[in-house]
Amino acid sequence: MRYLQNGFAMRLPLFSATIRRMACLLLTLMPSLGFSLPLESRVPGGIALVRLGSAAPASPAPRVWLDEQPIWVTRRDNEWIAIVGIGLDTPAGSRELRVEGTTAPPQIRFEIGHKHYPEQHITLKERGRVRLSPENEVRAEREIARIQQLKRHWRDAAETDSNFRQPAEGRLSSHFGLRRFFNGEARAPHNGLDLAVPRGTPVAASAAGSVLGIDDYFFNGKTVFVDHGNGLITMVCHLDRIDVQVGEIVRSGQRLGLSGMTGRASGPHLHWSVVLNGVMVVGALFLK
Ligand code: ZN
């Protein structure tokens, strides 16, 4: 799930520092709209909820980074909480958040445990999809760079709709985190989950947001990225048809398109990924 092609369109909202500060202030003054926090799971592919200390009334939200990536911060009762996605390739051990604008220390450490994900072996008859031609190699490289850019996209949002729904009803046919082998060769782990749905099944937005990117990738096929704000992004792949445009505001449950088997897919299914602060995390943590 890391490839895309040329002709890609993306619109980055350009917020001035002033507007950003105003948005921060608004966030502080607004009552919580009832979006619940994701479940916590401090393992690779999971989420850490890191307490940043007390939030004085009307105080602006602290800014937090993990390495260079901004981190979503929200207020719960009288406390600031950082909601941190942990990449699948993160080793167990200690990580450090950089914090600005709170009474908490400027560095806060949190621990990440071990998680063993099972192996999945897939046999593909079309060998061109395992060993890439030089042409496809170039295309895939270009797509990796584009998708990385999308995953790291950041938009300040007063509220992030984190009450996710599954994008379609269907049997779970492949779990998140599986260590995959195509024709015996190790590949990137499965960074989303697969739902077995017939071609033409409506695919819904997991939550309210705006369409960040659409394209037709070599591996992922027709794909839609929805930006929910504050580094939370969802992605649906292998679509047969896309019914939204880049920049379009979507509500929770709105149809993004129809499922299919475009790109590298051995049969019709829907791949669903959830990105938090630039890394893929297990989407089930957001499902109620
Ligand atoms: Zn998948």
Side-chain angles (χ1 to χ4, degrees), residues 131-142:
R131 284 278 165 83
L132 302 190
S133 67
E135 229 167 70
N136 285 336
E137 189 89 45
V138 170
R139 175 181 165 185
E141 284 300 315
R142 199 167 50 218

PDB file of all heavy atoms in Angstrom, residues 131-142:
ATOM      1  N   ARG A 131       8.134  -9.286  -9.474  1.00  0.00           N
ATOM      2  CA  ARG A 131       9.359  -8.659  -9.989  1.00  0.00           C
ATOM      3  C   ARG A 131       8.940  -7.562 -10.945  1.00  0.00           C
ATOM      4  O   ARG A 131       8.340  -7.836 -11.980  1.00  0.00           O
ATOM      5  CB  ARG A 131      10.192  -9.711 -10.749  1.00  0.00           C
ATOM      6  CG  ARG A 131      10.925 -10.681  -9.861  1.00  0.00           C
ATOM      7  CD  ARG A 131      12.241 -10.090  -9.347  1.00  0.00           C
ATOM      8  NE  ARG A 131      12.766 -10.863  -8.243  1.00  0.00           N
ATOM      9  CZ  ARG A 131      13.487 -11.970  -8.388  1.00  0.00           C
ATOM     10  NH1 ARG A 131      13.768 -12.416  -9.583  1.00  0.00           N
ATOM     11  NH2 ARG A 131      13.927 -12.610  -7.325  1.00  0.00           N
ATOM     12  N   LEU A 132       9.265  -6.321 -10.610  1.00  0.00           N
ATOM     13  CA  LEU A 132       8.807  -5.207 -11.441  1.00  0.00           C
ATOM     14  C   LEU A 132       9.713  -5.013 -12.650  1.00  0.00           C
ATOM     15  O   LEU A 132      10.925  -5.205 -12.561  1.00  0.00           O
ATOM     16  CB  LEU A 132       8.784  -3.919 -10.620  1.00  0.00           C
ATOM     17  CG  LEU A 132       7.918  -3.911  -9.369  1.00  0.00           C
ATOM     18  CD1 LEU A 132       7.810  -2.500  -8.813  1.00  0.00           C
ATOM     19  CD2 LEU A 132       6.532  -4.466  -9.650  1.00  0.00           C
ATOM     20  N   SER A 133       9.118  -4.611 -13.771  1.00  0.00           N
ATOM     21  CA  SER A 133       9.909  -4.205 -14.932  1.00  0.00           C
ATOM     22  C   SER A 133      10.578  -2.877 -14.562  1.00  0.00           C
ATOM     23  O   SER A 133      10.107  -2.179 -13.667  1.00  0.00           O
ATOM     24  CB  SER A 133       8.980  -4.008 -16.131  1.00  0.00           C
ATOM     25  OG  SER A 133       8.131  -2.897 -15.900  1.00  0.00           O
ATOM     26  N   PRO A 134      11.678  -2.502 -15.259  1.00  0.00           N
ATOM     27  CA  PRO A 134      12.338  -1.223 -14.954  1.00  0.00           C
ATOM     28  C   PRO A 134      11.357  -0.054 -15.002  1.00  0.00           C
ATOM     29  O   PRO A 134      11.408   0.842 -14.170  1.00  0.00           O
ATOM     30  CB  PRO A 134      13.397  -1.098 -16.053  1.00  0.00           C
ATOM     31  CG  PRO A 134      13.660  -2.497 -16.501  1.00  0.00           C
ATOM     32  CD  PRO A 134      12.368  -3.247 -16.317  1.00  0.00           C
ATOM     33  N   GLU A 135      10.459  -0.093 -15.974  1.00  0.00           N
ATOM     34  CA  GLU A 135       9.437   0.949 -16.126  1.00  0.00           C
ATOM     35  C   GLU A 135       8.552   1.052 -14.879  1.00  0.00           C
ATOM     36  O   GLU A 135       8.342   2.131 -14.330  1.00  0.00           O
ATOM     37  CB  GLU A 135       8.528   0.529 -17.284  1.00  0.00           C
ATOM     38  CG  GLU A 135       8.230   1.551 -18.332  1.00  0.00           C
ATOM     39  CD  GLU A 135       7.593   0.855 -19.517  1.00  0.00           C
ATOM     40  OE1 GLU A 135       6.434   0.409 -19.368  1.00  0.00           O
ATOM     41  OE2 GLU A 135       8.260   0.733 -20.564  1.00  0.00           O
ATOM     42  N   ASN A 136       8.048  -0.126 -14.470  1.00  0.00           N
ATOM     43  CA  ASN A 136       7.164  -0.149 -13.299  1.00  0.00           C
ATOM     44  C   ASN A 136       7.915   0.171 -12.022  1.00  0.00           C
ATOM     45  O   ASN A 136       7.347   0.726 -11.082  1.00  0.00           O
ATOM     46  CB  ASN A 136       6.470  -1.512 -13.184  1.00  0.00           C
ATOM     47  CG  ASN A 136       5.373  -1.663 -14.216  1.00  0.00           C
ATOM     48  OD1 ASN A 136       4.838  -0.666 -14.700  1.00  0.00           O
ATOM     49  ND2 ASN A 136       5.055  -2.898 -14.569  1.00  0.00           N
ATOM     50  N   GLU A 137       9.207  -0.184 -11.998  1.00  0.00           N
ATOM     51  CA  GLU A 137      10.060   0.140 -10.852  1.00  0.00           C
ATOM     52  C   GLU A 137      10.108   1.654 -10.654  1.00  0.00           C
ATOM     53  O   GLU A 137       9.938   2.161  -9.542  1.00  0.00           O
ATOM     54  CB  GLU A 137      11.472  -0.399 -11.114  1.00  0.00           C
ATOM     55  CG  GLU A 137      12.405  -0.339  -9.927  1.00  0.00           C
ATOM     56  CD  GLU A 137      12.321  -1.593  -9.064  1.00  0.00           C
ATOM     57  OE1 GLU A 137      12.314  -2.702  -9.622  1.00  0.00           O
ATOM     58  OE2 GLU A 137      12.245  -1.423  -7.834  1.00  0.00           O
ATOM     59  N   VAL A 138      10.299   2.374 -11.769  1.00  0.00           N
ATOM     60  CA  VAL A 138      10.361   3.847 -11.722  1.00  0.00           C
ATOM     61  C   VAL A 138       9.015   4.408 -11.245  1.00  0.00           C
ATOM     62  O   VAL A 138       8.960   5.278 -10.383  1.00  0.00           O
ATOM     63  CB  VAL A 138      10.728   4.423 -13.116  1.00  0.00           C
ATOM     64  CG1 VAL A 138      10.559   5.936 -13.156  1.00  0.00           C
ATOM     65  CG2 VAL A 138      12.154   4.028 -13.487  1.00  0.00           C
ATOM     66  N   ARG A 139       7.966   3.857 -11.814  1.00  0.00           N
ATOM     67  CA  ARG A 139       6.618   4.314 -11.438  1.00  0.00           C
ATOM     68  C   ARG A 139       6.377   4.061  -9.938  1.00  0.00           C
ATOM     69  O   ARG A 139       5.893   4.939  -9.221  1.00  0.00           O
ATOM     70  CB  ARG A 139       5.585   3.563 -12.273  1.00  0.00           C
ATOM     71  CG  ARG A 139       4.160   3.894 -11.872  1.00  0.00           C
ATOM     72  CD  ARG A 139       3.147   3.123 -12.709  1.00  0.00           C
ATOM     73  NE  ARG A 139       1.829   3.189 -12.085  1.00  0.00           N
ATOM     74  CZ  ARG A 139       0.769   2.534 -12.532  1.00  0.00           C
ATOM     75  NH1 ARG A 139       0.866   1.766 -13.599  1.00  0.00           N
ATOM     76  NH2 ARG A 139      -0.391   2.637 -11.904  1.00  0.00           N
ATOM     77  N   ALA A 140       6.728   2.861  -9.477  1.00  0.00           N
ATOM     78  CA  ALA A 140       6.492   2.507  -8.073  1.00  0.00           C
ATOM     79  C   ALA A 140       7.280   3.428  -7.139  1.00  0.00           C
ATOM     80  O   ALA A 140       6.754   3.872  -6.122  1.00  0.00           O
ATOM     81  CB  ALA A 140       6.873   1.051  -7.837  1.00  0.00           C
ATOM     82  N   GLU A 141       8.525   3.736  -7.505  1.00  0.00           N
ATOM     83  CA  GLU A 141       9.354   4.635  -6.692  1.00  0.00           C
ATOM     84  C   GLU A 141       8.691   6.008  -6.560  1.00  0.00           C
ATOM     85  O   GLU A 141       8.652   6.597  -5.485  1.00  0.00           O
ATOM     86  CB  GLU A 141      10.740   4.810  -7.323  1.00  0.00           C
ATOM     87  CG  GLU A 141      11.662   3.615  -7.124  1.00  0.00           C
ATOM     88  CD  GLU A 141      11.904   3.321  -5.648  1.00  0.00           C
ATOM     89  OE1 GLU A 141      12.156   4.278  -4.888  1.00  0.00           O
ATOM     90  OE2 GLU A 141      11.829   2.138  -5.262  1.00  0.00           O
ATOM     91  N   ARG A 142       8.191   6.487  -7.704  1.00  0.00           N
ATOM     92  CA  ARG A 142       7.528   7.788  -7.726  1.00  0.00           C
ATOM     93  C   ARG A 142       6.294   7.751  -6.826  1.00  0.00           C
ATOM     94  O   ARG A 142       6.008   8.685  -6.085  1.00  0.00           O
ATOM     95  CB  ARG A 142       7.127   8.089  -9.179  1.00  0.00           C
ATOM     96  CG  ARG A 142       6.854   9.532  -9.485  1.00  0.00           C
ATOM     97  CD  ARG A 142       6.778   9.743 -10.993  1.00  0.00           C
ATOM     98  NE  ARG A 142       5.881   8.789 -11.636  1.00  0.00           N
ATOM     99  CZ  ARG A 142       6.105   8.238 -12.813  1.00  0.00           C
ATOM    100  NH1 ARG A 142       7.200   8.519 -13.492  1.00  0.00           N
ATOM    101  NH2 ARG A 142       5.244   7.395 -13.340  1.00  0.00           N
TER     102      ARG A 142
END
